[in-house]
Amino acid sequence: DTGVSQDPRHKITKRGQNVTFRCDPISEHNRLYWYRQTLGQGPEFLTYFQNEAQLEKSRLLSDRFSAERPKGSFSTLEIQRTEQGDSAMYLCASSPGQEDTEAFFGQGTRLTVV
Amino acid sequence: GENVEQHPSTLSVQEGDSAVIKCTYSDSASNYFPWYKQELGKGPQLIIDIRSNVGEKKDQRIAVTLNKTAKHFSLHITETQPEDSAVYFCAASRNTNAGKSTFGDGTTLTVKP
């Protein structure tokens, strides 16, 4: 297993377009997290899944954002009608889901909205 | 909600010197404190973590200390090397959901050869 995988690594889109990112967690990790990181700041929590259930959403996750994890394995994050303020690094992390276990981050998807 | 503050924002040291990064947190329910290293264009990588039932943890040249009463925790890197140059983030969360963390704003560490 090579860790958390994210695709694409980079995405440039025009304002108003929709984009979708994919995250493949470490095999058998039950929990999957999405974060957003803007330049010069730490990652900010967006949402997380326990298996296929989306258990928590941050207030940062506006109604233009939607995340899914249909079979409890990979996850997608979609942004509709992108705005310039959506430009950021979108990070995915996974953990086994038990207490006292760490989370592992992927390399991220860098989104640029022009 | 939780708030994590991290200082300094930039730190420059000579190779071989020590580096110290400090963080404070606000939520007394937080009991898991990971530290991440992030290199340019990459995701954060966990380098060490500490849980609230211990006051100090060490792994080779890296150590973390935790003062629960004061809600402070610190990262200490000894014998720094140029490859230690990166952005370091502290974070706070709960053992029950260690992946849902509140991060500090990072410290850019530069180790000069």
Side-chain angles (χ1 to χ4, degrees):
Chain A
D1 192 291
T2 56
V4 178
S5 177
Q6 292 190 244
D7 184 70
R9 293 292 312 278
H10 304 274
K11 178 71 178 178
I12 300 175
T13 191
K14 291 184 179 179
R15 192 174 49 187
Q17 297 294 305
N18 299 344
V19 293
T20 300
F21 311 139
R22 177 181 169 120
C23 171
D24 286 90
I26 293 172
S27 179
E28 298 184 358
H29 275 197
N30 295 327
R31 288 185 178 170
L32 186 148
Y33 305 83
W34 285 101
Y35 282 80
R36 182 177 71 184
Q37 184 179 24
T38 53
L39 206 60
Q41 295 196 331
E44 296 173 293
F45 169 78
L46 292 178
T47 187
Y48 92 94
F49 292 83
Q50 172 83 31
N51 299 313
E52 66 274 9
Q54 188 173 16
L55 296 187
E56 189 171 341
K57 292 194 281 188
S58 160
R59 56 181 164 74
L60 294 175
L61 210 68
S62 76
D63 55 7
R64 294 185 299 105
F65 288 69
S66 62
E68 294 183 344
R69 194 182 183 198
K71 296 182 180 179
S73 56
F74 74 91
S75 175
T76 58
L77 178 68
E78 180 184 17
I79 309 175
Q80 296 182 328
R81 305 181 303 281
T82 52
E83 302 172 355
Q84 286 191 324
D86 297 331
S87 296
M89 173 82 89
Y90 290 85
L91 294 162
C92 176
S94 72
S95 76
Q98 299 141 357
E99 287 193 22
D100 293 344
T101 55
E102 63 191 79
F104 298 85
F105 279 85
Q107 301 281 51
T109 294
R110 168 74 64 189
L111 173 66
T112 303
V113 182
V114 298
Chain B
E2 176 66 276
N3 182 51
V4 176
E5 295 192 355
Q6 183 172 347
H7 300 279
S9 56
T10 60
L11 181 58
S12 182
V13 300
Q14 286 294 135
E15 183 177 0
D17 287 350
S18 295
V20 180
I21 302 170
K22 298 183 179 182
C23 291
T24 61
Y25 64 99
S26 62
D27 186 354
S28 57
S30 291
N31 53 13
Y32 174 67
F33 306 93
W35 285 87
Y36 292 90
K37 177 183 181 181
Q38 187 173 30
E39 297 175 333
L40 201 62
K42 296 186 177 181
Q45 179 185 10
L46 181 76
I47 55 172
I48 195 167
D49 56 15
I50 191 168
R51 290 180 167 85
S52 60
N53 57 345
V54 299
E56 185 172 355
K57 183 177 178 181
K58 189 173 181 180
D59 182 5
Q60 299 183 336
R61 296 185 297 109
I62 295 174
V64 290
T65 58
L66 171 65
N67 182 329
K68 277 194 66 179
T69 304
K71 297 194 185 74
H72 290 173
F73 57 116
S74 300
L75 176 72
H76 304 251
I77 306 174
T78 58
E79 302 171 19
T80 53
Q81 302 166 3
E83 51 265 38
D84 293 330
S85 296
V87 181
Y88 291 81
F89 292 96
C90 62
S93 65
R94 302 186 187 185
N95 268 338
T96 51
N97 197 354
K100 179 178 177 278
S101 291
T102 301
F103 282 74
D105 282 338
T107 295
T108 301
L109 174 64
T110 303
V111 180
K112 298 177 183 177

